Structure formats: C-alpha cells, structure tokens
C-alpha cells in the first residue's frame, strides 16, 4: 500500500459556494474529492446530480469521484464521467447486474469502484474484483454526514484487505463515514488506505490543510 489518501466528501460544504469549497480543498492538498450523490430512494436523503459536479469541475485540478447512492445507476453512469469524474463508485446493493454496471463504467473510460453497506458481507464483491480498482467499505449507514463511525466494520476491512492483497492487480480499500482523528487509525490498522472524511474535516478549526496533514499522519503511523 502506498501512503494513505485523504478524500474529502463535499457533503458538509456550503452548496451555495461549492466551487470555492473545492478550490480550498485542492489548496489543502487533498488527494481526490468525493461527491455523495443520493437519490432519495436507495438512501432517504437527496443531494445533487452530475450537473452540479460539472459546474465545479473547472474550479480545481484534483480528481473527482462520484459515490452513487443511487438505485440502478446504469442509465446515468455516462453523465458522471462527462461531468468530470475519473472514478464512479456504485453500490453492490443497488445494482441487480453489478458485473455489467462495473463493466459499463470501465467502457466509459473511468475507474470502476464498488461500495458495501454495513450489513453487506465482503464476499458480495468476490466475483467483480477483476473489474474494480477500489472497494469502498461504508463505516456508517449511508444517507447523512456526521454519523458515528462503526468500528464493527473493521473485521470486514481486514477480510477485504487480505483478499485484495492476494490479487495480481492493485485495488485500493476505501472507508467512508465517521472518519476523523479519533477513528482513522483503527480503519488504517484494519487495512484501509483511502479515507473519505466530511464533517470532521470541515469542522477543523486549524484549517483544512492542517486537518488533511493530521489525518494522513495518523493513518500512516497506524501502519508503520
Ligand atoms: C454517507 C456519506 C458520508 C460522507 C462523509 O452517506 O457518504 O459518509 O461521505 O460523512 P462524515 O465524514 O461526515 O461521516
């Protein structure tokens, strides 16, 4: 695993000034920016779609990833790639034909990734690992930011890390939900190497750059 990657979610940002928030995140040295797309059906909340992502694409150079908390996302995949997302994350639970959808993401020229809700076992992705470059383990039940980290997901992270390390191609392991200074070390020690963080990062009074550097250092020291 390389050095830990810090990926902010813009869910807690001021949506009226999203471009500026992305610019500030880029200046703070984040590795990517994640957009939490929620359809009000797969999860109870409703956020934004590809047009909002496209509107802020030119504000910052870092890669974008769309986390699609969307039922049957197949018909809209191309919109997120056209909006400027280098990676598209779909939920295993939201795709009746997950293998086909991940192949569609790759055919669009984007990196494909699959997310698992807390109740979904690791083996749900056993037969699609050849199609993805990232697996996302949700450490909260998706739908809102600011929820408590589920440490009970760490055994699943460790199980996936063992399986991913046995592959002949690199696959990142990302966690999302309740990640902050008090929780990132446990997730890193379990085997995660990419960390999505929202409310904790935006709440850091010392500023975004200090928060990013602190989280990266805590994750690195947990696996040193
Ligand atoms: C849940 C969202 C959140 C968000 C990060 O549906 O996916 O996990 O990205 O939220 P925090 O870091 O505030 O828990």
């Amino acid at each position: 695993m390389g050095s830990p990657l810090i990926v902010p979610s813009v869910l807690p940002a001021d949506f009226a000034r999203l471009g500026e928030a992305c610019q500030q995140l880029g200046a703070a040295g984040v590795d990517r920016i994640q957009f939490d797309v929620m359809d009000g059906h797969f999860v109870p909340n409703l956020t934004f779609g590809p047009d909002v992502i496209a509107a802020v694409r030119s504000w910052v150079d870092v890669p974008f990833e769309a986390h699609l908390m969307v039922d049957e996302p197949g018909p809209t995949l191309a919109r997120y790639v056209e909006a400027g997302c280098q990676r598209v994350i779909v939920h295993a639970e939201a795709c009746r034909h997950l293998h086909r959808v991940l192949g569609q993401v790759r055919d669009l020229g984007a990196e494909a990734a699959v997310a698992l809700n807390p109740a979904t076992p690791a083996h749900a992705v056993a037969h699609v690992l050849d199609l993805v470059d990232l697996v996302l383990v949700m450490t909260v039940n998706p739908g809102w930011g600011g929820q408590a980290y589920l440490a009970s997901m760490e055994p699943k992270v460790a199980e996936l890390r063992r399986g991913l390390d046995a592959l002949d191609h690199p696959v990142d392991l990302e966690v999302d939900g309740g990640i902050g200074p008090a929780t990132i070390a446990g997730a890193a020690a379990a085997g995660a190497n990419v960390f999505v963080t929202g409310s904790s990062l935006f709440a850091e009074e010392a500023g975004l750059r200090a928060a990013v550097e602190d989280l990266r250092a805590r994750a690195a020291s947990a696996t040193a």
Side-chain angles (χ1 to χ4, degrees), residues 154-167 173 190-191:
E154 290 176 4
K156 184 188 336 184
V157 172
E159 178 185 352
L160 277 163
R161 171 50 65 198
R162 288 192 296 274
L164 297 180
D165 285 350
L167 297 176
L173 186 48

Side-chain angles (χ1 to χ4, degrees), residues 7-12 34-38 43 45 67 69 91 117 136 138-149 175-180 196-202:
V7 180
S9 158
V10 295
L11 195 60
Q34 184 183 97
F35 292 82
D36 283 316
V37 179
M38 301 182 189
V43 293
N45 201 356
H67 175 191
M69 289 163 273
H91 270 260
N117 282 338
L136 166 55
M138 292 303 296
T139 46
V140 295
N141 286 294
W144 289 276
Q147 301 180 82
Y149 172 75
V175 287
D176 176 358
I179 299 297
V196 176
T197 176
S199 48
S200 166
L201 192 73
F202 282 88

Side-chain angles (χ1 to χ4, degrees), residues 76-169:
T76 59
L77 295 172
R79 299 280 311 280
Y80 294 94
V81 179
E82 289 155 11
C85 294
Q86 283 75 20
R87 173 176 289 103
V88 177
I89 306 169
V90 298
H91 270 260
E93 306 89 354
C95 302
R96 178 168 297 182
H97 298 288
L98 176 62
H99 190 281
R100 177 186 294 151
V101 168
L102 291 169
Q104 288 170 336
V105 173
R106 289 164 63 97
D107 290 346
L108 288 164
E111 292 165 340
V114 58
L116 296 173
N117 282 338
T120 305
H123 64 68
V125 295
H127 301 292
V128 296
L129 294 178
D130 58 317
L131 295 174
V132 301
D133 80 316
L134 180 141
V135 176
L136 166 55
V137 173
M138 292 303 296
T139 46
V140 295
N141 286 294
W144 289 276
Q147 301 180 82
Y149 172 75
L150 294 173
S152 57
M153 292 298 109
E154 290 176 4
K156 184 188 336 184
V157 172
E159 178 185 352
L160 277 163
R161 171 50 65 198
R162 288 192 296 274
L164 297 180
D165 285 350
L167 297 176
D168 60 2
H169 68 286

